[in-house]
Amino acid sequence: MTTPAVPFSDLSKHSKEVAETVSRAHRVHIRRRDGEDLYLTTARHDREREETASVVAHLLSALVMSDEGVRAVEHALPAVFSWTRHLSAEEQREFVRDLVAATKDAVELDVHATLHRVIAEWRATARILADPTLTAHLTRPLPDEDHGEVLAP
């Protein structure tokens, strides 16, 4: 389903029409020239999206509590994240653990950045592993030189 889009100025100039569009479509994309775009949604639609995310997070979490469930999720990984085929079996298991924890954080803490970061980091790892030259370069032994203590940023 395509989300209707309107310019930001329509919120003040044609607020009644925008509100009617939100009521009909449940969500409207507000395009801004001077900042990040916005989405305007109904409270009911937002609650339903939150419930959907909660069900998925809890289902995934419950699924990985058994060995059979873990195997099922690992088997499904390439269909969802095709790049996971470059990860070892242990790396795939670690990715699943990270994915489940980040999904629960998204629902329980309303922190979605962690989920996006986990996926981006594991995708970057797979990208490195997919390139033998890059893998060799990044996994070669470091020189025995000691450059001193590394301070926290």
Side-chain angles (χ1 to χ4, degrees), residues 1-127:
M1 181 176 132
T2 303
T3 301
V6 298
F8 184 74
S9 59
D10 280 8
L11 284 178
S12 60
K13 293 178 183 175
H14 308 286
S15 59
K16 185 176 180 181
E17 290 86 353
V18 172
E20 289 171 2
T21 302
V22 172
S23 294
R24 187 177 57 258
H26 307 294
R27 181 171 123 136
V28 172
H29 177 187
I30 308 295
R31 293 186 312 266
R32 297 175 63 199
R33 287 189 308 245
D34 59 350
E36 187 174 1
D37 286 0
L38 306 172
Y39 282 93
L40 185 61
T41 187
T42 63
R44 180 176 51 83
H45 185 67
D46 191 56
R47 281 191 310 273
E48 290 171 352
R49 288 172 64 93
E50 286 179 358
E51 183 179 359
T52 299
S54 178
V55 167
V56 171
H58 288 96
L59 184 61
L60 184 60
S61 180
L63 190 59
V64 298
M65 293 176 103
S66 72
D67 290 339
E68 285 178 339
V70 169
R71 282 191 297 277
V73 171
E74 289 172 349
H75 181 73
L77 275 182
V80 179
F81 304 103
S82 62
W83 45 264
T84 58
R85 69 184 182 282
H86 298 288
L87 303 176
S88 69
E90 179 53 39
E91 289 166 332
Q92 287 183 16
R93 282 188 288 281
E94 189 176 346
F95 172 55
V96 168
R97 286 190 298 269
D98 291 349
L99 188 66
V100 169
T103 302
K104 289 177 74 175
D105 283 352
V107 169
E108 295 172 5
L109 303 174
D110 198 24
V111 175
H112 302 268
T114 304
L115 177 60
H116 296 286
R117 181 182 48 76
V118 163
I119 293 169
E121 288 173 355
W122 278 106
R123 183 184 302 120
T125 299
R127 186 176 294 124

